[in-house]
Amino acid sequence: MRIKVALGIWLLGITLAWMAVAPAEMGVSPLVNAQGAALGWWQLRQHTIYVSGLWSISLMALIMLLALRLPLLDRLMGGMDQVYRLHKWTGIAAALTAIAHWGAKESSGLIKSFWGRAGKPEHDAVIPWLTDARGFAKDLGEWAFYLLIAMVVLTLIARLLPYKHWRLLHRAMPLLFLALAFHAVALMPLTFWALPLGVIMAPLLALGSLAALWSLAGWVGRLRSHAARIHSITVLGDVATGVEAGAPIEVICAMPPSWRGHRAGQFAFVRFDAAEGAHPFTIASAPNALGNSPEGEQLLRLVIKPLGDYTRTLQRQLRAGQRVDIEGPYGRFDGEGSRRRQQVWVAAGVGVTPFLALLEARQPGIVPADRDAAPVHMHYCTPHAQRDPLMARLQDLCAQAQPPVQLTVHCGAQGQRLQPQDLQVGSAPLDIWFCGPQGLGDALHQHARGPSRWRLHRESFVMR
Ligand SMILES: Cc1cc2nc3c(=O)[nH]c(=O)nc-3n(C[C@H](O)[C@H](O)[C@H](O)COP(=O)(O)OP(=O)(O)OC[C@H]3O[C@@H](n4cnc5c(N)ncnc54)[C@H](O)[C@@H]3O)c2cc1C
């Protein structure tokens, strides 16, 4: 909802600014005059090209800014996963508006074949020193548009390209933005640079271009990156069947003095290997819960499940003492909702990691204990409760939590599938904190939108 509202306000703002500089008489009516000239159609085409182009390039500039992982945006959107969702939906909106822009441009053949060229407006004057670049700017824009659409298709139909390759391609997106920003600057009518549109578009294109260059230089998150080292690694569960059984590894990281701590439930981008790049992992320990290393470095825990190509290699590759770059912390998944609502935590699979940190923060002796925290009912969905390497730890943490956390386990092997309606006990509306697979999250979301009056806080583990 917040994302739709943000995008709606953005597009409305650009439309109003465009209307302020557009000609008072749009000239679209009649579409075809008594002499058979399609003056109105040509004008309509022209206005559509301009407004859809402005929508599209402004959305792309927003995408570039969102990709910077700015702490301010993290705060405004209620979590970095939400910033990424906005980034994704802005990408889709930019592609749809770019299709409208391209479609309007291509409509000239159709208009000509029905009504002829009569009434087609002359080219608008553009920034004088870019007049000669019109042809190049048009071609560049067209090719960048095709690549943009291909990228959006590859993003939405995930099975077409493995994440690893998709991510490499995606890193080239700032280049497309720079090409499209040039297209926009070279072809935008001179009159559009006047107030108020020019005052919006000029800084937006400049900031978007700076953000694109920042991304291309590989500096995203640089100011929040900390050179840590691996303190220890443990395979959780049965080492003999380890990887096949999908056993997670626990990586304890020793943080440098530059690390200013985190809050329970936050995550970080972790880079074990410069060639691979950073992967997001939850910090699965409460602040100060693990104490310090003998060298005085603050310790924190990651619990990593071998879910994909890269994470499957980590058990073999990681060594104690190895350098690890940790960027963050990010996120606002604090498990603390309204006092008037019943607090329910729902974890499934590796989605249990933020709850490990939240539970640890409720253990006696962990400083500072949050006296205002409310009692919680936690539901944990696991494929096999008896073989789950985190089960015993989770049960202990829940049993000792202050304020209390009541645990209900849903074991897949015993056919105990969690249904959204199972969560409602009593009549108080629920505050649900969910982390787990997309499907279960969507089912909870559907239910929360109904008459149940639930509030769903969701940590999304999918960034594509
Ligand atoms: C906020 C957040 C917190 C997470 N916390 C944990 C955790 O505590 N423990 C854990 O085991 N997993 C966690 N994950 C998931 C973890 O990031 C992926 O499982 C891991 O990156 C998979 O990498 P892969 O190359 O092995 O898998 P692949 O087979 O390459 O990809 C599998 C899926 O993982 C995701 N993914 C892969 N690489 C990245 C990346 N660089 N950035 C973002 N997503 C990626 C994509 O959705 C992809 O479809 C978290 C994800 C997010 C977004």
Side-chain angles (χ1 to χ4, degrees):
M1 185 63 182
R2 208 183 302 193
I3 286 178
K4 284 185 197 147
V5 171
L7 287 179
I9 292 175
W10 187 269
L11 293 179
L12 183 67
I14 298 290
T15 312
L16 292 176
W18 166 73
M19 285 168 75
V21 295
E25 181 48 63
M26 293 276 185
V28 295
S29 179
L31 289 170
V32 182
N33 67 15
Q35 291 74 43
L39 196 73
W41 277 118
W42 285 116
Q43 288 295 341
L44 186 61
R45 170 181 176 269
Q46 183 92 327
H47 296 314
T48 310
I49 288 177
Y50 286 147
V51 77
S52 57
L54 289 167
W55 284 340
S56 192
I57 194 66
S58 68
L59 288 167
M60 283 183 228
L62 178 60
I63 294 172
M64 291 297 120
L65 294 172
L66 291 171
L68 293 182
R69 305 207 273 260
L70 298 174
L72 173 72
L73 294 173
D74 185 12
R75 266 201 303 280
L76 277 178
M77 290 299 298
M80 196 49 77
D81 60 325
Q82 296 306 317
V83 176
Y84 271 89
R85 282 192 63 215
L86 178 59
H87 174 90
K88 174 177 171 172
W89 283 103
T90 311
I92 293 170
L96 290 175
T97 48
I99 291 171
H101 183 70
W102 174 84
K105 186 205 137 242
E106 291 296 307
S107 68
S108 71
L110 208 63
I111 302 175
K112 249 185 258 169
S113 62
F114 276 103
W115 299 285
R117 279 186 70 93
K120 187 175 182 199
E122 290 302 314
H123 290 151
D124 282 304
V126 295
I127 296 175
W129 48 272
L130 285 170
T131 309
D132 294 341
R134 172 178 289 276
F136 173 66
K138 276 188 169 180
D139 292 346
L140 191 67
E142 186 161 354
W143 281 105
F145 164 74
Y146 296 140
L147 293 172
L148 173 76
I149 298 302
M151 190 65 217
V152 172
V153 169
L154 289 175
T155 302
L156 296 181
I157 312 179
R159 63 176 183 278
L160 291 180
L161 195 66
Y163 188 87
K164 206 162 125 181
H165 305 305
W166 172 83
R167 198 156 160 259
L168 274 181
L169 272 185
H170 192 241
R171 291 198 63 179
M173 289 304 282
L175 279 179
L176 283 193
F177 174 77
L178 291 173
L180 290 165
F182 175 76
H183 168 89
V185 171
L187 297 175
M188 196 156 109
L190 203 51
T191 50
F192 282 18
W193 294 104
L195 272 171
L197 188 62
V199 175
I200 296 175
M201 289 311 290
L204 204 53
L205 290 173
L207 286 176
S209 303
L210 280 178
L213 293 171
W214 194 265
S215 295
L216 287 171
W219 291 345
V220 171
R222 193 187 193 200
L223 302 175
R224 299 183 83 185
S225 190
H226 307 268
R229 72 183 171 84
I230 297 182
H231 178 72
S232 64
I233 304 157
T234 316
V235 178
L236 301 175
D238 184 354
V239 183
T241 52
V243 177
E244 281 70 29
I249 51 170
E250 178 177 86
V251 184
I252 306 291
C253 301
M255 303 304 294
S258 60
W259 177 255
R260 279 183 289 168
H262 71 284
R263 291 193 307 279
Q266 289 193 296
F267 72 96
F269 286 93
V270 179
R271 186 193 306 257
F272 293 112
D273 171 359
E276 169 66 24
H279 285 251
F281 295 112
T282 304
I283 303 170
S285 52
N288 306 319
L290 304 185
N292 290 354
S293 71
E295 291 79 15
E297 303 145 299
Q298 207 181 118
L299 298 177
L300 55 81
R301 178 195 294 120
L302 307 172
V303 174
I304 302 178
K305 263 203 147 185
L307 291 177
D309 299 346
Y310 177 64
T311 38
R312 267 194 283 271
T313 66
L314 288 179
Q315 196 191 122
R316 272 176 279 117
Q317 278 183 9
L318 300 189
R319 298 276 172 273
Q322 181 182 326
R323 174 174 167 157
V324 49
D325 290 310
I326 299 196
E327 178 203 322
Y330 293 108
R332 326 229 112 219
F333 194 75
D334 59 15
E336 298 292 338
S338 157
R339 297 291 296 180
R340 288 194 299 275
R341 289 170 174 265
Q342 192 192 331
Q343 301 303 307
V344 176
W345 294 352
V346 182
V350 74
V352 74
T353 49
F355 297 104
L356 292 178
L358 293 172
L359 282 165
E360 225 169 48
R362 288 180 176 231
Q363 299 305 296
I366 297 288
V367 198
D370 186 351
R371 288 177 217 291
D372 277 347
V376 168
H377 190 150
M378 175 167 183
H379 294 259
Y380 177 47
C381 307
T382 171
H384 206 300
Q386 280 185 338
R387 285 199 222 137
D388 189 320
L390 291 169
M391 185 56 76
R393 186 185 298 186
L394 190 63
Q395 282 168 332
D396 283 353
L397 286 169
C398 287
Q400 289 166 31
Q402 277 312 324
V405 175
Q406 181 193 340
L407 177 66
T408 303
V409 176
H410 303 263
C411 171
Q414 292 180 27
Q416 297 163 341
R417 283 183 69 81
L418 172 70
Q419 302 298 332
Q421 52 275 19
D422 299 341
L423 301 179
Q424 184 74 59
V425 179
S427 56
L430 309 186
D431 243 327
I432 299 176
W433 297 81
F434 168 76
C435 190
Q438 183 94 10
L440 180 54
D442 290 346
L444 292 176
H445 179 68
Q446 283 304 327
H447 202 85
R449 285 172 59 174
S452 57
R453 293 186 295 132
W454 292 353
R455 228 180 254 157
L456 180 66
H457 312 261
R458 195 170 169 181
E459 180 82 310
S460 172
F461 267 24
V462 180
M463 288 197 170
R464 186 172 184 172

